[in-house]
Each structure stands twice: as C-alpha cells, then as structure tokens.
Amino acid sequence: MAELKVRGLSAQNLAGIDAANNRAHSSREVYLRKYIHHDATDHLLRGDVLDLRELTKRTAIIIEQNTKTYLEFVGTVRELGLSNEN
C-alpha cells in the first residue's frame, strides 16, 4: 500500500480530525483512510445516484398515471355492470 505524509496541518484541523476519529472509535490512521477512500470514490457514485433519483421520479409519475387510469377503468366497469343489471 502507498503511504502519504501530510505536512502543515493546523492544530485546529488536527483537533477536528482527532475528535471525529474518537467519535468513530477508531485510530487517526483508520479514520483518515476511510475518509480519503470515501472522498476518492464519491465521484464514481455521484452520477449513479443522480440517475437513480431521476429514475425514481419518473417511476413515481408513471405509477400515479397508471393508478389514475386503473381507477377510471374500474369506475367504468362498475358503471357498465350496474347499467347492464337494470
């Protein structure tokens, strides 16, 4: 595995990193490795997430339209059934 050395971190940034890794119950190294991995791979998923959101919106619209059409169909069948019984 590659190694990375980061110079010039402020005390404030380091304290923030330490607070975050303490909340995560991990070491500074493990926390930063996970953080770097997430940041490095986030761009790979961003497009997929946006595509999924758009697909979900379109699917919801189609379901609404199909439900409306189905309910209209059921209403028409019921009307025809009642008028044929008379």
Side-chain angles (χ1 to χ4, degrees):
M1 254 192 187
E3 290 188 23
L4 175 67
K5 185 174 187 175
V6 179
R7 294 184 181 101
L9 289 174
S10 69
Q12 183 179 6
N13 286 342
L14 193 57
I17 290 168
D18 287 341
N21 72 51
N22 287 336
R23 284 192 304 272
H25 304 290
S26 67
S27 68
R28 184 186 293 165
E29 183 179 342
V30 169
Y31 173 78
L32 288 173
R33 188 180 301 121
K34 287 179 182 178
Y35 188 84
I36 291 168
H37 173 74
H38 179 272
D39 193 63
T41 57
D42 183 53
H43 70 281
L44 299 173
L45 299 176
R46 193 170 304 134
D48 290 340
V49 170
L50 293 175
D51 289 347
L52 184 58
R53 283 184 186 151
E54 182 61 30
L55 182 60
T56 302
K57 287 178 188 177
R58 289 181 186 182
T59 302
I61 291 168
I62 291 169
I63 290 171
E64 284 180 26
Q65 291 171 341
N66 286 346
T67 301
K68 181 181 174 188
T69 302
Y70 173 75
L71 292 174
E72 290 172 358
F73 173 75
V74 168
T76 302
V77 168
R78 285 183 180 155
E79 288 176 14
L80 290 174
L82 291 177
S83 64
N84 285 339
E85 290 177 8
N86 293 333

